[in-house]
Amino acid sequence: MALTDPYYAVIEAGGTKFNCAIVTPDKDIVAEIRIPTTTPEETLSATVAFFSAQREAGYPFSKMGIASFGPLDLDPASPTYGYITKTPKPHWSNTDLANALASALDCEVVIDTDVNGAALGEYRWGAAQGAGVAVYVTVGTGVGGGIVVNGKPLHGLVHPEIGHMLVQPPAGITGTCPFHTNCVEGLASGTALGKIWAQPSDTFDDDHPAWDGLAEVLGNMCHNLMVVLSAEKIILGGGVMQKPGIVDKIVAATEKTLNDYVVFPEGRSLQDVICTPGLGTRSGMLGALALLD
């Protein structure tokens, strides 16, 4: 599909809030709302009400892109295609997301994970332009990662779950994930950091030892992404990555474990590969638009 309509509906569906918007093909946001992610009934009802009101306000649309938290069923042949499947988010397991909104709003819906959408948005318009293999990782309430290969989001059997990659934990630290003892999400997410250190991660001082541990964990993750995918871009987004200087720490930790094993093309370095989003905080929302292009 090409972006030929005057307006598109997009949703960045997160575990905390649904960011809903009407967007033009030029990526201009003409209407926007943030809806708390409470129960499916409340959240989807408010979502439908917002988009219905936008049509009445003169912003007609026939296509919707959804970049959503998951796990998701992304098999078009599956009877539960477009569903959120087994998620730790209370009330949301086995929720029909794509089909319910398509029916309620009489529109075509394209859905993918929030991080696959963000990776695609960065590939189209952000920091990953021209990259044959691009990875977007968000480090916030949880940790998730999306992969774009030659311009297409990677699904595979289900879809990537980079947040549940097993890594070496920092000395004396045990992960908090209920499924895996020492996965990235259970060691590096904002939720995990708060539990491990018994204080909210946004209250850590600059010299708090959590930052070195975080860099070590995410450095392990980036090491694995480099040797498995030969990633040309690893984009680190999310609230925890807003900490000044943290990306430099992660680059240094990755360089340490790679130990000069990966040979970079002339003029390239790990500092070019590991970076922050080119679209800022809009990667997910614009990624939902990119799903329609």
Side-chain angles (χ1 to χ4, degrees):
M1 288 180 290
L3 297 177
T4 57
D5 294 350
Y7 302 107
Y8 295 90
V10 298
I11 302 174
E12 180 186 14
T16 303
K17 58 186 178 298
F18 272 40
N19 291 330
C20 304
I22 299 292
V23 185
T24 72
D26 293 327
K27 306 185 295 298
D28 293 327
I29 296 171
V30 297
E32 183 177 9
I33 192 173
R34 292 184 177 184
I35 297 170
T37 308
T38 54
T39 65
E41 294 76 17
E42 289 179 346
T43 304
L44 296 183
S45 176
T47 299
V48 170
F50 167 75
F51 284 115
S52 297
Q54 300 319 305
R55 276 187 172 145
E56 294 177 4
Y59 300 125
F61 60 89
S62 61
K63 298 182 178 69
M64 170 182 286
I66 304 175
S68 175
F69 75 97
L72 301 174
D73 183 344
L74 296 176
D75 179 2
S78 170
T80 55
Y81 170 73
Y83 277 53
I84 295 172
T85 59
K86 185 179 180 181
T87 176
K89 178 68 177 174
H91 314 297
W92 284 84
S93 289
N94 303 311
T95 294
D96 181 358
L97 183 59
N99 301 300
L101 290 172
S103 176
L105 292 165
D106 189 25
C107 65
E108 178 184 350
V109 169
V110 178
I111 187 170
D112 209 322
T113 63
D114 48 359
V115 280
N116 260 357
L120 187 60
E122 289 289 332
Y123 171 79
R124 294 283 171 82
W125 305 302
Q129 293 178 72
V133 180
V135 183
Y136 180 95
V137 179
T138 183
V139 186
T141 304
V143 176
I147 302 168
V148 169
V149 179
N150 296 328
K152 295 186 179 299
L154 180 66
H155 293 153
L157 181 67
V158 185
H159 54 72
E161 285 284 4
I162 291 171
H164 294 277
M165 178 190 297
L166 298 183
V167 294
Q168 182 70 32
I173 301 296
T174 299
T176 64
C177 175
F179 298 99
H180 315 109
T181 304
N182 290 317
C183 66
V184 176
E185 181 169 281
L187 290 163
S189 68
T191 302
L193 293 172
K195 291 178 179 178
I196 290 168
W197 296 99
Q199 70 181 90
S201 59
D202 59 2
T203 66
F204 295 161
D205 292 334
D206 290 347
D207 60 353
H208 196 289
W211 297 120
D212 288 336
L214 176 71
E216 183 180 333
V217 169
L218 295 180
N220 280 188
M221 177 194 73
C222 290
H223 173 122
N224 293 337
L225 292 172
M226 289 300 301
V227 297
V228 172
L229 296 172
S230 195
E232 293 168 65
K233 284 291 181 180
I234 300 173
I235 300 168
L236 302 178
V240 177
M241 291 297 97
Q242 302 299 310
K243 178 66 177 177
I246 190 61
V247 173
D248 290 337
K249 282 180 173 286
I250 295 165
V251 170
T254 309
E255 287 180 328
K256 181 178 179 180
T257 61
L258 284 176
N259 197 28
D260 293 326
Y261 180 74
V262 175
V263 178
F264 288 85
E266 186 175 354
R268 298 292 304 278
S269 68
L270 199 60
Q271 286 82 359
D272 302 317
V273 174
I274 301 174
C275 63
T276 54
L279 299 177
T281 60
R282 295 294 195 187
S283 301
M285 181 172 287
L286 294 177
L289 178 66
L291 294 173
L292 298 172
D293 190 4

